[in-house]
Amino acid sequence: MSLPNGSPSFHAFRNVCSGLALGLFLTAPASPSDASARHESFVNWESPHVHPLELTPNGKWLLAVNTPDHSLEVFAVTEEGIQPAFRVSVGLDPVSVRALTSTQVWVVNHVSDTVSVVDLETRLVIASLPTDDEPADVAFAGDPLRAWVTCSGASTLLAFDLAQLESPPSRRTIDGAGPRALAVSGDGKRVYAAIFSSGNGSTILSGGALFNFDFPPNVVSRGVSPHGGQNPPPNLAEERTFSPPMREGNPAPPAVGLIVRRTTDGAWRDDSGGDWTHLVSGEHAALSGRPKGWDLADHDLAILDTDSGELRYSRGLMNLCMALGVNPTSGEIIVVGTDATNEVRFEPNLRGRFVHVRSARLGREGEVLHGADLNPHVDYSVAHVDAALRGQSVGDPRAVVWRADGKVGYVAGMGSSNVVAIDSKGERLQDSVPIAAGNGPTGLALDAPGKRLYVLSKFASTISVVDTQTHAETARAHMFDPTPPFVQRGREHLYGTRQHSGLGQAACASCHADARMDHLAWDLGDPSAPMQSVAGNNLAADHSALLESNVPGRGPFEDFHPMKGPMTTQTLQDIIGKEPLHWRGDRSGIEAFNGAFVSLLGASSPLSATELEELKAFLASIDFPPNPFRDSDNALPTNLPLIGHVTTGRFGPAGRPLPNGNARAGLTNFRTGKLDNLKVDCVTCHTLPTGLGPDARLDAKEYKPIAPGPRGERHHMLVSQDGSSNVSMKVPQLRNLYQKVGFDLMSTRSRHGFGYLHDGSIDTLARFVNESAFSLASDQDTADMVAFLLSFSGSDLPVGATDRRDEPLGPSSRDTHAAVGWQCTPAS
């Protein structure tokens, strides 16, 4: 069977065999050997729930996505509660379900990139509709009625004609990263899409580049800065010093970049109140590499008029917009999520209070009416409170549902494992006690009378029935769950806010959302901390060319200074076995982070040894999803359109669209193109297929592996060639570069405030590969390299060898073939 790449039929032909196999489910307990086999074959992409629970309009059926089982679970609603009725296999990792009618429902499959249309009467999937990358939610609106689907990976909103499902959908680009949750106005004329990784109006100003990087300029060190060029700038401006104070005996801190945030008056300020507006958007913006008038979109909510097609945005709500709901009486929109205070520097100042859980109330047209902290009982002047107060907090909110009268709504806290009630303004109801219902609630549904609240708990794969009068759980149903127990146990330590933070609202996942990243940078240094020795790390893998110093006037490696400056949040996907960790490689393994539960999250104690092993095992299970830029056979594309990527001015005029890229040619350049100032290749440091450095040292002509540490930690290479004033840096992995696009210093409008390099100061991949260290010869070379880096993950890249000096053997990668999850539904 041959299908043309790009055709609707081709995109519909997705993993028939895998889809059929994954549709099977067990009806009897498995033997231990069977269970072990399932654990070995279980793949965890840690896909986020968006709208996983729904009642049909007639109230007869309760619908729940079973993400690990790749199925739709259907429960019969009875007077006593709910009873399992039947299960329908759908695509890989379903995350949302919506009922079009009482007999037809739509299920969104996050990894398969499809929507499964299910007929409840025949209990069959009657259509599999291909979508863009990582679809998240579906809603029905407009006249004629259409199905609207957010695609978080592609930042698009698709519209399917319900009368002609075989026709390709229309497509609108959303100016924001990760549109997920959808809602519809009461009259069906407006579609609202919450933009998950919307940002919070913060960005990076460069200040730590020493060599190799021509862009951006080190504006933090300029005398026209509000601190007269002092770098690092003080966070106690009047005293021109730091809080906490610097430790006596430490050397001078390195020059670093600085995070600034746009305030309500439009000014760009640092955490001491220093006004950088003239250097960000004003008359001296060019000194930070920006055009005058530069600004961040900071789009939080997209509003589409289904009649006119007009698309507009609301901004300034929060940085992770997780869920939303329309009040059925007022028509107002409530968005819930979290807002980060990443502009505040230093870990002791952020302890326990680096994130707030918020709601935002907007009018029908998206005008901002009101905002509220969903934890009004929390005193943010302290970092830790007792267990009773922590238990009142809600964390990582993932669902909103309204009572029919619009007076009361419910918000599910995935991290806090509770549900809280809100009033029509989006504020917590006073004297309302949080509802305990399951572990990791992500889905809510309310019956028509408003007497029964249904709660789907992701971590436990259960559905609780709650009496809304007494707030008591009256019944609980269990879904079949093939998730290995170690994943279930460890997941709680990543997301749990109540047990692992001082105020009950924060967790590791507050920044590493869904085990990924928040698209922000943080300065988590500590002026009062001691220096940390670089000794014991794998320094340059003993490669002679990499051991040579390229830092003017300084040695090739330096000890780690506790004032390290801003660092972007890194993904947690496939980090176990890829040690040391952090951008600098200053953490030997996940065990070295245990103290952060106290020093950053504000908990009273770190994890126990058992809990730490549970977290580590869970993190080791997380894979990268299929790369959206790979061809269907997982091959690197040879003619990839690079929409939004532009020339830098190195080889001609700047700002022109890059030509289509040949990723295979980019791979060749990556493997053989020498860096200008070194006689090595990109692959000498960034080994394939991960981009990490080798876990070995060069001995004469052969790389000798390094024995693991006492906790199994590895020793991947550090280099001093980064060009940063943080001289000692780990070679980072490159498998999610395509997810970091959006920072733009060429135009006056930018989607993100952070991009590439450890501090996010380089805006685009094209800019990065055109720095002076790289030996590209044309804009076509640039396009080819960008195409390769965008399609880096896939694990079929050629690997090095122990006897290749400039192409060493690197670690293997937990990532996914591009065709995994592809499916079709045969015509009847």
Side-chain angles (χ1 to χ4, degrees), residues 139-146 148 157 172 183-193 302-312 326 331 333 364-366:
F140 308 100
D143 185 13
L145 192 65
R146 284 165 286 181
W148 303 85
L157 179 63
R172 297 295 299 271
V184 175
S185 62
D187 59 8
K189 293 184 177 182
R190 285 173 295 280
V191 175
Y192 307 110
I303 306 105
L304 178 74
D305 187 302
T306 60
D307 289 336
S308 68
E310 178 190 4
L311 185 62
R312 58 187 182 278
V326 174
I333 311 123
R364 296 169 185 252
E365 304 301 322

Side-chain angles (χ1 to χ4, degrees), residues 675-729:
L675 301 183
D676 286 344
N677 61 335
L678 291 173
K679 295 182 178 179
V680 295
D681 305 312
C682 296
V683 77
T684 306
C685 296
H686 293 284
T687 66
L688 302 176
T690 65
L692 287 162
D695 182 20
R697 292 190 177 97
L698 186 61
D699 181 6
K701 295 183 179 180
E702 186 175 1
Y703 284 93
K704 299 294 181 63
I706 303 172
R711 297 182 178 89
E713 65 269 22
R714 309 304 306 189
H715 301 86
H716 295 92
M717 183 173 71
L718 273 61
V719 292
S720 60
Q721 318 301 327
D722 183 88
S724 164
S725 55
N726 275 281
V727 173
S728 303
M729 299 292 290

